[in-house]
Amino acid sequence: MFGQLVIGPPGSGKTTYCAGMQQFLQEFGREVAVVNLDPANDMMKYKPDIDITDLITISDVMDTLKLGPNGGLVYCMEYLEQNMSWLEEELARVKGRYLLIDCPGQVELYTHNTAVHNIVQRLIKMDIRLVAVHLVDSHYCSDASKFISVLLTSLTTMLQMELPHVNVLSKCDLIQKYGKLAFNLDFYTEVLDLSYILDQFKEEEEHSRYKKLNAAIVDIVQDYSLVSFVPLFVEDKEIMLRVMKAVDKANGYVFGDLEERNLQEMLSCAAGAEFEYEKIQNIQEHFVDDSAGTSTENG
């Protein structure tokens, strides 16, 4: 079985992504099963085939154990970890279908808590080939300090989850809602020379006191050289196709036998090269004010 582990901070659009990707993949003839592993998700835009609330609900946990929402989510994930037989039985019902796993939005679950990591390792032992799809709200690009924080969170998540990984900038139609971008979109998606972004901090005491810290974080991100992003706008089919190809390439689905694929289709997905601008062209032309961008070409 193949599937996507859809993770990311609260409000990053995970549920919307799962609903949109389910519909998109079904148009390609894939049989999709959506798994809701978020016990606090009460506004689902899809009908889950497997729902963690059949096992445990966050409201019961908070009422019984007197925990807050964050502690309640951690407890729910650790409870699921201890009761994996339930999830294994549920997954047996949808065997052979492509999985979209909608996860909770608590960042700690993917940066240092081990419950989700251990759950994923159990799924891998069941021969489920997962790719982590990490959604980040694109409006963070308009604030240098928030973008640096997003880069560090993305890197930490990649290292903690130990999965093939695709970082996604979600809600790109709203990318300039909180301000114009200082650079062209490819600066943020390809995570180009981050020394430029350090120059965006104002020379004020509240910013300057963290200058060395931000520089150190930037160095860490660049030293690993792992973080890049795929832009996403769920309502644009061409953009969704690019995300689908990136995910299929990451977990090897393109070489699987769940669908009929000819050699040309496999090669176009697995080895097809695109110029960097082509990856962001739709977003750049429709949602980004070019007058706001600054060239970041080196040389």
Side-chain angles (χ1 to χ4, degrees):
M1 294 175 69
F2 291 81
Q4 302 179 28
L5 188 80
V6 184
I7 60 180
S12 58
K14 297 183 296 297
T15 297
T16 300
Y17 171 85
C18 287
M21 186 57 74
Q22 177 191 31
Q23 181 178 355
F24 187 76
L25 293 176
Q26 287 175 339
E27 292 178 2
F28 278 83
R30 294 193 196 182
E31 294 186 18
V32 179
V34 184
V35 181
N36 175 45
L37 289 189
D38 184 358
N41 192 353
D42 55 0
M43 297 182 65
M44 287 179 281
K45 299 182 179 181
Y46 54 78
K47 183 178 180 180
D49 297 276
I50 300 173
D51 192 346
I52 191 175
T53 59
D54 294 336
L55 174 69
I56 189 171
T57 65
I58 192 169
S59 57
D60 287 344
V61 169
M62 292 172 65
D63 291 342
T64 304
L65 301 178
K66 308 303 179 184
L67 295 173
N70 289 342
L73 280 173
V74 171
Y75 182 90
C76 288
M77 290 298 102
E78 292 177 346
Y79 185 84
L80 175 60
E81 180 188 357
Q82 297 301 318
N83 292 271
M84 276 296 292
S85 58
W86 172 83
L87 183 57
E88 291 169 353
E89 291 173 3
E90 291 292 301
L91 288 171
R93 295 192 297 103
V94 296
K95 187 175 182 179
R97 295 164 70 178
Y98 188 92
L99 302 176
L100 292 173
I101 305 176
D102 191 1
C103 295
Q106 190 174 0
V107 175
E108 300 95 298
L109 293 171
Y110 315 108
T111 55
H112 57 273
N113 185 273
T114 60
V116 175
H117 173 271
N118 294 338
I119 291 168
V120 167
Q121 293 305 309
R122 289 283 294 273
L123 296 178
I124 291 174
K125 288 182 180 179
M126 295 172 61
D127 198 26
I128 299 176
R129 303 178 188 182
L130 293 172
V131 54
V133 179
H134 182 222
L135 271 63
V136 174
D137 197 318
S138 61
H139 83 257
Y140 291 130
C141 294
S142 61
D143 186 302
S145 60
K146 290 180 179 178
F147 186 64
I148 290 176
S149 176
V150 160
L151 293 176
L152 184 60
T153 301
S154 299
L155 177 61
T156 305
T157 301
M158 294 173 76
L159 298 176
Q160 170 76 359
M161 296 309 299
E162 297 182 313
L163 283 174
H165 200 102
V166 176
N167 290 304
V168 175
L169 279 181
S170 64
K171 305 179 185 178
C172 277
D173 55 318
L174 305 175
I175 194 167
Q176 294 193 140
K177 181 180 179 181
Y178 296 94
K180 292 183 178 181
L181 300 183
F183 306 104
N184 292 330
L185 184 58
D186 61 339
F187 175 87
Y188 302 95
T189 58
E190 298 305 315
V191 188
L192 302 175
D193 188 347
L194 293 176
S195 61
Y196 287 99
I197 206 166
L198 293 174
D199 296 334
Q200 296 300 305
F201 288 98
K202 299 176 181 178
E203 292 298 327
E204 299 174 3
E205 184 178 353
E206 61 177 310
H207 293 93
S208 60
R209 73 172 69 175
Y210 300 115
K211 189 173 182 178
K212 289 184 179 180
L213 175 60
N214 285 314
I217 293 173
V218 162
D219 286 342
I220 291 172
V221 173
Q222 292 193 142
D223 286 346
Y224 275 93
S225 191
L226 292 175
V227 182
S228 62
F229 295 93
V230 179
L232 172 68
F233 176 41
V234 173
E235 296 181 15
D236 189 304
K237 289 189 176 182
E238 185 174 342
I239 293 172
M240 288 288 282
L241 180 62
R242 294 182 190 279
V243 175
M244 184 194 78
K245 284 184 175 182
V247 171
D248 286 352
K249 182 178 178 181
N251 71 351
Y253 179 85
V254 67
F255 299 109
D257 58 358
L258 300 184
E259 296 172 350
E260 282 190 22
R261 306 177 188 81
N262 60 42
L263 182 60
Q264 184 177 0
E265 288 175 333
M266 288 195 295
L267 290 176
S268 66
C269 180
E274 288 184 304
F275 292 107
E276 296 305 329
Y277 183 75
E278 291 178 344
K279 298 178 182 179
I280 62 166
Q281 184 174 5
N282 287 32
I283 301 293
Q284 183 76 40
E285 292 180 351
H286 291 95
F287 305 119
V288 179
D289 181 2
D290 284 336
S291 64
T294 302
S295 175
T296 59
E297 294 181 1
N298 295 323

